[in-house]
Amino acid sequence: MEGESEEILPADIACGDVFLKGGSPGHVVLVADVCENEEGQKAFLLAQGFMPAQEFHLLKNPLHDGDPWYYEKETKGAFATPEYKFPEGSLKRLNYLK
């Protein structure tokens, strides 16, 4: 997937974008929803599944108990989900989504 995607800025995040950690094992989480407040600050929901095919589910944000939304300002530097840590620059848009 790395060869089929390009890095994007968190300010440009949209549904269908991914946080991608290549390699073996690699991992990807999907941006499932995005909202924006009146000041232009974005929040988003993430989802993932595992191989072999299993349930696809929304992720909790480990920084906010009871609030599953991730916030654009939290994506600076390394970015953590409950089970994976993604390096800076791992927010990608798949080339065929343009």
Side-chain angles (χ1 to χ4, degrees):
M1 286 181 75
E2 281 194 86
E4 300 173 341
S5 63
E6 62 185 45
E7 184 179 342
I8 62 167
L9 298 172
D12 297 326
I13 198 167
C15 288
D17 292 337
V18 296
F19 284 88
L20 175 63
K21 180 180 178 183
S24 182
H27 194 64
V28 65
V29 294
L30 175 74
V31 177
D33 197 7
V34 177
C35 64
E36 186 174 335
N37 67 14
E38 291 143 359
E39 289 84 38
Q41 300 165 327
K42 293 186 178 181
F44 52 95
L45 292 173
L46 295 177
Q48 71 180 12
F50 288 101
M51 297 298 286
Q54 297 178 14
E55 292 180 4
F56 195 68
H57 60 275
L58 291 177
L59 299 177
K60 294 179 181 180
N61 184 336
L63 298 177
H64 306 282
D65 189 35
D67 178 7
W69 290 91
Y70 289 79
Y71 298 89
E72 178 185 343
K73 63 185 175 191
E74 298 170 351
T75 62
K76 306 222 182 332
F79 178 73
T81 67
E83 298 167 338
Y84 287 90
K85 190 171 191 176
F86 294 90
E88 186 171 7
S90 62
L91 179 58
K92 309 280 185 168
R93 179 160 298 146
L94 298 170
N95 292 331
Y96 50 84
L97 292 179
K98 291 181 183 179

